[in-house]
Amino acid sequence: MSQNRSSAVMQQRIEARDSLDDFPTPPWATRAICEFLASLGFDLAMMDCREPCANRGHMVLPLREAFGHVMASDVFDYGAGFPVRDYLFGADNSLDRTDWTFLNPPFRLAQEFIERAIRLSRVGVAVIARSAFSEGQDRALELFVPMPPSYELQFSERVVMLKGRLIRSGAVDPFAEKPGTKASTATSYSAFVWLKRDAVPADTRKRWIAPCRLRLERDGDYPVYDVPATATELVGEMML
């Protein structure tokens, strides 16, 4: 029997090793994590936060709603005005310390980003990644066993992340190859949260983020795009 390779079954987020891994984060997903942290008693408005993979600012927007101060940067200039900086370059600097670090890192470099974020964050680290990130022998031995997250938060709704654009879940994706295709994903996402107050080794508590997308979406979350004449033009622009 041949394998079903339809996009509804297969996980599609596979990037080349030199890719920028440009998959913008829907703001509602970040708001959901902030709500969970607030439920634990954290007063985020009295804390600062760093976002080192700022992309076009779709995660920075809700972080600035929640935190007293947010510092953002990225290794590439996406045109949003954030400083261009390689978060993984150079030795740890005390001036880079922050209360929280939030990020949706490139999958192939996620472990390196997390390790540095844990060192430089005084209170905690929150990472959005594919749920499959919890798998893997090397990550288990190098990250999850010696530094287990305090929480793994499974999104019960799919967090739609598409390459190079941010489209509301269920809305028509004007950049899809097939006209009329609605934005969706076969990829499951979770948030991994490290709390510095928890002793290591700690038990990782699994929680589920209940459906909340419609409640947490805001006007202005999703860009209005000038749609290219053809899908071929879009692909060409994305590769630039």
Side-chain angles (χ1 to χ4, degrees):
M1 181 181 294
S2 62
Q3 183 181 14
N4 186 341
R5 303 188 63 85
S6 73
S7 60
V9 176
M10 300 296 291
Q11 299 239 348
Q12 298 295 304
R13 186 169 170 176
I14 302 174
E15 288 293 285
R17 290 193 61 81
D18 60 350
S19 168
L20 289 170
D21 207 32
D22 178 11
F23 288 82
T25 308
W28 73 266
T30 303
R31 293 188 184 108
I33 300 171
C34 290
E35 278 197 350
F36 175 79
L37 296 178
S39 75
L40 297 180
F42 290 104
D43 186 357
L44 302 184
M46 299 301 294
M47 299 179 183
D48 56 33
C49 178
R50 182 178 300 279
E51 214 288 55
C53 306
N55 194 273
R56 298 170 184 84
H58 300 301
M59 181 179 277
V60 177
L61 171 67
L63 289 177
R64 286 179 171 165
E65 296 168 356
F67 283 89
H69 178 63
V70 178
M71 298 159 283
S73 61
D74 201 293
V75 72
F76 181 76
D77 183 2
Y78 287 94
F82 301 120
V84 175
R85 180 182 176 189
D86 185 346
Y87 184 67
L88 299 180
F89 179 78
D92 293 351
N93 189 322
S94 61
L95 296 178
D96 291 329
R97 294 195 178 278
T98 184
D99 292 324
W100 281 90
T101 303
F102 269 64
L103 63 162
N104 172 7
F107 191 82
R108 66 185 178 86
L109 295 174
Q111 181 175 329
E112 290 90 333
F113 272 89
I114 292 168
E115 290 171 345
R116 171 159 279 202
I118 290 173
R119 294 196 304 269
L120 293 177
S121 301
R122 291 182 288 266
V123 180
V125 175
V127 176
I128 295 181
R130 283 177 273 176
S131 299
F133 183 66
S134 63
E135 301 172 350
Q137 297 179 47
D138 290 341
R139 274 194 295 275
L141 293 174
E142 298 170 4
L143 177 64
F144 288 120
V145 171
M147 294 184 293
S150 303
Y151 291 93
E152 179 183 353
L153 309 176
Q154 175 68 57
F155 285 96
S156 59
E157 297 171 280
R158 286 295 167 94
V159 182
V160 176
M161 298 193 200
L162 304 174
K163 186 175 179 64
R165 73 266 198 200
L166 183 66
I167 308 293
R168 187 190 302 269
S169 176
V172 173
D173 180 1
F175 301 125
E177 292 185 8
K178 182 179 179 180
T181 298
K182 294 183 178 180
S184 63
T185 181
T187 303
S188 171
Y189 285 91
S190 296
F192 300 86
V193 178
W194 282 261
L195 300 179
K196 300 295 287 286
R197 71 186 183 187
D198 285 351
V200 176
D203 290 331
T204 299
R205 287 142 284 185
K206 180 82 178 241
R207 299 290 187 270
W208 281 260
I209 296 179
C212 58
R213 177 180 65 83
L214 294 178
R215 177 174 61 83
L216 294 180
E217 286 181 327
R218 303 285 185 266
D219 291 340
D221 279 352
Y222 299 92
V224 177
Y225 294 101
D226 293 326
V227 183
T230 66
T232 302
E233 290 178 17
L234 166 70
V235 173
E237 290 178 7
M238 285 186 175
M239 295 301 105
L240 293 177

